Amino acid sequence: MDPQVTWDLLINEWTQCNWIDVHELAEALQDWMADGGFPPDTSGGKYVGGEWNRIVALAVCKFTLRTANAALNSPNGIPSDVPFAMSCQDCSNEGPNSYDAAISEGWKLVRYTPAGLSENFLGRCPVCQKSET
């Protein structure tokens, strides 16, 4: 196993919300290090030492496993412990404060986006939906 390739894939799959792949990659990397394997570079090329990389990689694996499990076990694919902050994918209007409120107000395509800058969720607001028709 190449832990750097696994790390890079884990980050990519995380940004794409591919929870099954996130789970498999995090578990594989965690197992690799538990068996004495060396950690990936987690610092973007800056030398911080192997122990730093091991601790960061293990923490990320633990976090991504928990989040992937929560998303996979949720009927709407949204981890229950994630704060809800949403905006419209088309016009950037700020959305309501909960998934249930968004659905009741008519928002569509609501999805968890962990790589968002200021929001954890994107959707399509009712105004943008009306302008399309």
Side-chain angles (χ1 to χ4, degrees):
M1 171 177 167
D2 183 333
Q4 192 64 50
V5 169
T6 304
W7 176 260
D8 294 342
L9 286 169
L10 175 61
I11 292 170
N12 185 61
E13 297 305 317
W14 171 267
T15 63
Q16 300 300 313
C17 302
N18 294 329
W19 302 121
I20 292 172
D21 294 335
V22 165
H23 187 278
E24 290 174 359
L25 291 162
E27 194 170 58
L29 185 57
Q30 186 174 275
D31 290 349
W32 164 263
M33 289 186 293
D35 290 340
F38 60 92
D41 172 14
T42 62
S43 65
K46 295 186 183 206
Y47 182 74
V48 293
E51 192 60 20
W52 171 284
N53 286 323
R54 179 174 301 284
I55 290 168
V56 170
L58 287 172
V60 168
C61 286
K62 182 178 178 181
F63 169 73
T64 56
L65 280 168
R66 186 187 52 159
T67 303
N69 283 331
L72 290 167
N73 292 323
S74 170
N76 54 19
I78 296 173
S80 60
D81 61 344
V82 172
F84 196 89
M86 185 175 75
S87 64
C88 179
Q89 65 190 22
D90 297 330
C91 70
S92 298
N93 276 343
E94 191 173 311
N97 294 326
S98 74
Y99 177 81
D100 292 336
I103 298 305
S104 70
E105 289 179 20
W107 285 68
K108 302 288 183 197
L109 307 172
V110 176
R111 66 191 184 283
Y112 177 46
T113 55
L117 296 176
S118 63
E119 68 278 315
N120 293 329
F121 297 86
L122 289 176
R124 192 137 195 271
C125 74
V127 173
C128 288
Q129 292 173 59
K130 285 181 184 175
S131 68
E132 188 175 87
T133 57

